[in-house]
Amino acid sequence: MTARPAAGHGRKRGRPSLAARVAGEPAAPERILSSARTEFAARGYDKASIRAIARGAEVDPALVHHYFGTKEQVFEKAVETAFSPAVAARDQALAVDLDQVGETMTRFIFRVWGNAVTREPLLAIVRSAVNNETAAAIFRRLVTRQLLSVLAGRLTAPDAELRVELAVAQLVGTAMLRYVIKVEPLASTDAEVLIARLAPVVQHHLTGADLGIAGAGRELTGTDRD
């Protein structure tokens, strides 16, 4: 007669029971990505480990490799998940008239960064990216492929990529100062006031007249004055 396994030993670690899944427990891949974002934010890319990520997700390290592969691949997937709000912003910007893209992007940035649920995963990735070249390369590749290049495709100017990068830099810089560093009075000024000021600037980056390097130089040095 074959002995029955003891209760609690009939399923491998990291694979939730049907009852747990029905009750709403996150699936293993979701738990792994959540743990990965936490680990990368707390320890950085270099010090984060598959073992620690698995421990935070309450799964076996082999299951992390099974779903995502190497640490680099785990990080890339975590970036994609955290970056999904920016992809949504891109889609919104593609759906409106070109002269409304500046305000659309500005409003979306304030909405995403103003909400801790969507802000914290992004911050976790940014912190890792600024401290490790591998992480930075993954983040840079994703930002370029999924956001910058697509938005630049809407513009007809020869410097379309530079224009989009300036627009995004304007918004991300503002978000970091307001929500992370919390510089006053920027941090406490009503969002609608800031949007009213920023949206035209962002729009100008995207579609405004290009003064050109020579024209800008004359303006700065005063060589075009009488």
Side-chain angles (χ1 to χ4, degrees):
M1 180 175 179
T2 304
R4 297 178 64 184
H9 296 282
R11 119 180 116 83
K12 294 182 179 179
R13 184 184 180 210
R15 298 182 183 276
S17 66
L18 177 60
R21 292 197 298 271
V22 171
E25 179 182 321
E30 296 173 22
R31 300 202 311 274
I32 291 169
L33 288 179
S34 177
S35 175
R37 287 192 295 269
T38 300
E39 185 70 11
F40 287 128
R43 300 177 61 80
Y45 181 88
D46 286 330
K47 294 183 179 180
S49 68
I50 293 293
R51 186 174 297 278
I53 291 170
R55 186 166 54 249
E58 297 184 331
V59 301
D60 191 275
L63 202 61
V64 179
H65 290 295
H66 169 74
Y67 281 118
F68 301 107
T70 64
K71 183 171 78 168
E72 182 175 334
Q73 291 170 312
V74 174
F75 182 76
E76 184 164 8
K77 189 62 180 180
V79 170
E80 289 180 357
T81 304
F83 200 66
S84 57
V87 176
R90 177 204 68 189
D91 293 342
Q92 287 190 12
L94 293 174
V96 300
D97 292 338
L98 191 56
D99 61 358
Q100 297 176 338
V101 172
E103 182 175 352
T104 300
M105 290 177 61
T106 304
R107 288 191 176 280
F108 197 92
I109 287 292
F110 272 80
R111 188 159 65 249
V112 169
W113 283 83
N115 184 340
V117 174
T118 49
R119 179 177 68 245
E120 291 306 317
L122 284 170
L123 279 176
I125 299 306
V126 169
R127 291 189 185 108
S128 295
V130 298
N131 292 315
N132 179 272
E133 180 51 37
T134 299
I138 293 171
F139 189 56
R140 184 165 56 244
R141 184 169 64 244
L142 183 69
V143 169
T144 300
R145 183 179 69 243
Q146 295 201 15
L147 181 63
L148 303 180
S149 295
V150 177
L151 290 175
R154 285 209 65 183
L155 308 181
T156 57
D159 58 347
E161 290 185 356
L162 176 60
R163 286 172 175 269
V164 172
E165 289 172 7
L166 286 170
V168 172
Q170 185 91 48
L171 292 173
V172 173
T174 300
M176 293 292 287
L177 288 173
R178 175 177 170 87
Y179 296 110
V180 182
I181 303 176
K182 298 182 179 179
V183 174
E184 292 292 355
L186 183 63
S188 59
T189 298
D190 184 78
E192 287 298 322
V193 173
L194 298 177
I195 290 170
R197 291 195 176 195
L198 278 171
V201 178
V202 174
Q203 188 66 46
H204 178 77
H205 283 315
L206 296 171
T207 60
D210 185 6
L211 294 176
I213 296 177
R218 286 195 303 271
E219 184 174 321
L220 289 173
T221 61
T223 55
D224 56 345
R225 297 176 185 173
D226 293 334

